[in-house]
């Protein structure tokens, strides 16, 4: 039987923060661990596909056209035994499939996404999760959401947590700024980070694409230092030189910046989100939005202890293990 897996890597090079980080690191490790699997990545950026993975260039101006026309055409040509997509499967595909659902924020809070996008996600994500042979997700929190909201059987869901890119490691003198990492959007609540940092007497540096321009303008007006989207090496430097990460997100499927900050040896202050607590455990300082400033002050005072606890916690996560779990799912589905 064919062992060809087609992996949708459309996010590569598109500055999609967490999703792109997940796909890039997972593909790198899949290229090393694939065994007798042949893995082909559908992508607009073949130059970003790692060794061991075959790139298949697939351009499209509109995502809707890509999924409705370009992807089905590519799958007819490649004739894979299995496909693996993020969030949504192509509607016309009837073969074996795996889908990764990173979070269900669009279900939990109506204000976190525009009406049209939310309607699309609420229609296509549950349909894809039910059609797929296996649903991968990055946390127990999202597995529980999939069970509760979509009635996906627990045995069909496999948790494959994110890992830590090796570039995120301690080093350098801590700077005099608090760091916020993530797309500038209401769900991430960067204004809460700025308010807390200002009250604690420390500047805020923001690293992430400006998804909501009006919110970005307000952050600048109030004195935040917006760096926009930064590449991996620059992001690693910003972590190493930060005094603290402030992460007041309203909802997370995992909270990758929290893991990256811990691996970089800086303390983490966060709102008490279920997924963030799952990742960070007792290695972070949790607070309500009203208590974030006090939490920053505490984190700075307890920096050595929190940094050591964070490094220990971060060692539990690796992209190699993520890839091992993913390959095991591929093997199981292909044998079915």
């Amino acid at each position: 039987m064919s062992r060809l897996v087609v992996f949708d890597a459309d996010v590569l090079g598109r500055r999609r923060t967490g999703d792109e980080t997940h796909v890039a690191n997972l593909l790198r490790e899949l290229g090393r661990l694939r065994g007798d699997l042949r893995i082909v990545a559908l992508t607009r950026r073949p130059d970003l596909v790692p060794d061991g993975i075959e790139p298949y260039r697939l351009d499209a101006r509109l995502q809707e056209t890509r999924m409705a026309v370009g992807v089905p055409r590519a799958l007819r040509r490649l004739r894979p035994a299995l496909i693996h997509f993020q969030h949504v499967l192509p509607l016309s595909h009837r073969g074996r499939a795996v889908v990764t659902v990173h979070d269900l924020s669009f279900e939990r809070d109506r204000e976190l996404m525009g009406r049209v996008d939310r309607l699309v996600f609420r229609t296509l994500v549950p349909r894809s999760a039910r059609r797929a042979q296996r649903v991968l997700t990055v946390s127990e929190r999202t597995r529980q959401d999939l069970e509760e909201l979509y009635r996906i059987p627990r045995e069909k869901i496999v948790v494959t947590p994110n890992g830590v890119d090796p570039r995120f490691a301690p080093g350098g003198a801590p700077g005099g700024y608090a760091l916020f990492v993530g797309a500038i959007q209401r769900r991430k609540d960067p204004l809460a980070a700025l308010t807390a940092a200002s009250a604690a007497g420390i500047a805020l540096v923001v690293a992430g694409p400006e998804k909501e321009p009006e919110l970005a303008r307000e952050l600048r007006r109030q004195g935040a230092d917006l760096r926009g989207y930064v590449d991996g090496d620059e992001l690693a430097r910003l972590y190493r030189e930060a005094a603290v990460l402030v992460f007041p997100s309203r909802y997370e499927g995992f909270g990758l910046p929290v893991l990256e900050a811990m691996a970089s040896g800086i303390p983490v202050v966060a709102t008490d989100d279920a997924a963030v607590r799952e990742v960070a455990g007792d290695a972070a300082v949790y607070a309500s939005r009203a208590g974030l400033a006090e939490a920053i002050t505490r984190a700075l005072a307890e920096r050595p202890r929190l940094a050591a606890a964070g490094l220990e916690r971060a060692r539990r996560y690796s992209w190699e293990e993520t890839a091992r779990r993913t390959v095991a799912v591929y093997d199981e589905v292909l044998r079915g």
Side-chain angles (χ1 to χ4, degrees), residues 109-292:
D109 191 332
R110 293 175 179 269
E111 297 181 358
L112 299 183
M113 184 179 285
R115 185 173 60 85
V116 174
D117 286 345
R118 185 168 180 267
L119 177 61
V120 170
F121 271 71
R122 293 191 72 192
T123 302
L124 297 182
V125 173
R127 181 183 300 178
S128 298
R130 292 174 185 131
R131 281 180 47 214
Q133 275 66 43
R134 290 291 181 274
V135 180
L136 305 187
T137 191
V138 294
S139 65
E140 289 290 343
R141 189 260 183 85
T142 303
R143 172 151 72 176
Q144 292 170 10
D145 281 352
L146 286 162
E147 290 182 73
E148 178 184 338
L149 297 174
Y150 296 160
R151 300 294 187 263
I152 305 300
R154 187 173 184 83
E155 62 272 15
K156 184 177 173 177
I157 308 168
V158 180
V159 178
T160 57
N162 290 315
V164 181
D165 189 304
R167 77 182 78 206
F168 299 114
Y177 60 86
L179 180 64
F180 172 94
V181 175
I184 296 177
Q185 56 189 145
R186 286 172 293 168
R187 174 164 74 94
K188 304 292 185 179
D189 210 354
L191 274 177
L194 177 58
T195 300
S198 299
I202 188 170
L204 182 73
V205 172
V206 177
E210 298 180 11
K211 285 195 173 182
E212 297 180 15
E214 184 176 340
L215 180 56
R217 286 193 291 271
E218 181 62 19
L219 287 166
R220 285 194 181 91
R221 189 186 70 77
Q222 294 191 28
D225 180 359
L226 273 58
R227 304 293 178 89
Y229 177 88
V230 297
D231 64 24
D233 290 338
E234 175 63 10
L235 181 59
R237 185 189 68 80
L238 288 173
Y239 277 125
R240 287 194 303 269
E241 296 180 1
V244 61
L245 177 79
V246 185
F247 197 73
S249 180
R250 288 165 55 176
Y251 181 100
E252 286 296 318
F254 186 86
L256 193 55
V258 170
L259 181 58
E260 293 168 347
M262 292 191 301
S264 302
I266 67 169
V268 172
V269 168
T271 45
D272 197 1
D273 175 84
V276 172
R277 187 173 281 278
E278 182 181 330
V279 172
D282 295 332
V285 178
Y286 302 98
S288 65
R289 280 166 183 76
L292 284 171

